[in-house]
Amino acid sequence: DPVKMAGRQNIIFCRPKDADKLNEMKIDVVSLANNHVYDLGKEGLASTMSWLDAHGIKHCGAGMNIAEASAPVVVEIDGKKLGFYACCEYGSAYIGHLQIATETEPGVNALDLERVVEDIKRLKSQCDYVFVLPHWGQEYQYLPTPKNVFLAKAMIEAGADGVFASHPHQIQPWIRHKDRPIAFSMGNYLFPDFFMAPPRP
């Protein structure tokens, strides 16, 4: 991403052989709505999506246009339909540069609350359960921002059955709103950021 390189922001990617671990861990749905999915540009995003498709891993939250980026994933388990919807906060210093999908340009599904609420309502009319996977919040903070608390509750009130977020790189509080779970940040499975010195290959 030339914008990130010019601003000396982190460029993060993994080799395809490392991504094979997703299959080994039996992961079958992933969110691509994050501030690094476009680090290798349009070709990198297309490559990621192609790899996931070839390995039978469903994905949501980014695409070659906004229709693709905002499309949910629906899976059926024991006769119940589960919908997954992903979006990414933007416009804050702690998220950094974000390539936002438009009608004609690739990128991530931006967290525009009014549109996200409508998408959640539409998905809920088609599924038994809806889970939202937002990428938001300030890194290395123990508490969610007031904005994220507001957004999470609005998602639940729109019909989401759970909100499970990422980006702060550490676990943040877990609460219930209208008896539905909200995890403001699930922390990291693996993110060795102490090795990073931006920008890096």
Side-chain angles (χ1 to χ4, degrees):
D1 185 330
V3 176
K4 282 194 163 186
M5 289 301 290
R8 293 186 61 82
Q9 295 184 36
N10 287 329
I11 303 293
I12 298 174
F13 64 93
C14 74
R15 300 166 298 183
K17 69 177 185 178
D18 297 323
D20 288 341
K21 299 296 182 186
L22 295 176
N23 279 138
E24 290 180 29
M25 293 187 289
K26 303 189 185 311
I27 290 174
D28 48 20
V29 176
V30 298
S31 166
L32 298 180
N34 66 73
N35 55 309
H36 289 289
V37 75
Y38 207 77
D39 280 6
L40 298 185
K42 182 177 180 178
E43 294 81 5
L45 174 59
S47 175
T48 297
M49 294 169 62
S50 176
W51 186 95
L52 292 167
D53 290 340
H55 289 78
I57 300 174
K58 297 179 184 296
H59 50 87
C60 54
M64 291 298 117
N65 52 53
I66 187 57
E68 200 169 88
S70 62
V73 164
V74 177
V75 298
E76 190 167 326
I77 300 175
D78 296 331
K80 300 288 186 182
K81 286 187 177 179
L82 283 67
F84 296 89
Y85 178 86
C87 52
C88 188
E89 184 178 6
Y90 67 98
S92 63
Y94 43 81
I95 292 290
H97 172 67
L98 190 69
Q99 177 71 21
I100 296 173
T102 68
E103 289 186 10
T104 57
E105 294 296 319
V108 303
N109 183 30
L111 203 175
D112 290 314
L113 184 59
E114 186 174 330
R115 184 177 55 80
V116 166
V117 162
E118 290 306 311
D119 287 346
I120 292 170
K121 288 179 178 177
R122 188 179 310 109
L123 185 57
K124 183 64 176 179
S125 71
Q126 303 164 5
C127 296
D128 298 287
Y129 301 98
V130 170
F131 301 104
V132 183
L133 311 173
H135 196 77
W136 64 21
Q138 194 165 352
E139 294 168 308
Y140 312 110
Q141 300 300 307
Y142 287 103
L143 297 173
T145 66
K147 176 184 176 183
N148 293 157
V149 174
F150 170 79
L151 291 170
K153 290 181 177 180
M155 291 170 178
I156 295 293
E157 288 168 11
D161 295 284
V163 176
F164 301 96
S166 57
H167 182 71
H169 301 301
Q170 63 188 36
I171 294 171
Q172 289 184 347
W174 178 94
I175 66 167
R176 295 187 80 84
H177 180 66
K178 294 188 176 294
D179 205 33
R180 295 182 177 97
I182 298 170
F184 289 103
S185 173
M186 296 184 293
N188 294 332
Y189 175 73
L190 176 65
F191 197 77
D193 48 349
F194 43 86
F195 288 121
M196 296 180 184
R200 65 191 183 291

